[in-house]
Amino acid sequence: NGSQVTDEGLATIATLPKLEELWIARTKVTADGVEKHVLSSKTLRRIDVGGLKVPPSKLKAWKTGGPDRRFQD
């Protein structure tokens, strides 16, 4: 996607009550921002984090964190 979304913007986006898919590939969002703002969402089911600098151990933990959520890298 390559947009200019940052962790600060993600804080707002992640609160949208009907948000089910989030494509933040190749943005300025950090792994810490995903953990802080996205992982707590009850509605998100699919998240594209391709191109983000996410340590492999974190990505693996996110992918195995619950059956109702898919991370695409």
Side-chain angles (χ1 to χ4, degrees):
N1 131 352
S3 70
Q4 299 299 310
V5 175
T6 62
D7 291 351
E8 185 177 313
L10 187 60
T12 301
I13 293 168
T15 64
L16 296 172
K18 295 184 180 183
L19 185 66
E20 293 183 1
E21 294 188 4
L22 183 61
W23 301 83
I24 51 175
R26 295 175 302 283
T27 63
K28 295 183 178 186
V29 171
T30 67
D32 289 340
V34 171
E35 288 185 328
K36 184 175 181 181
H37 304 297
V38 173
L39 297 185
S40 62
S41 171
K42 302 295 184 204
T43 59
L44 276 171
R45 299 292 174 243
R46 185 171 181 181
I47 303 137
D48 183 342
V49 295
L52 299 186
K53 294 178 181 175
V54 179
S57 60
K58 281 191 180 190
L59 187 58
K60 182 178 180 180
W62 296 349
K63 287 182 174 184
T64 59
D68 294 337
R69 185 171 288 159
R70 282 187 17 204
F71 280 89
Q72 180 174 328
D73 58 335

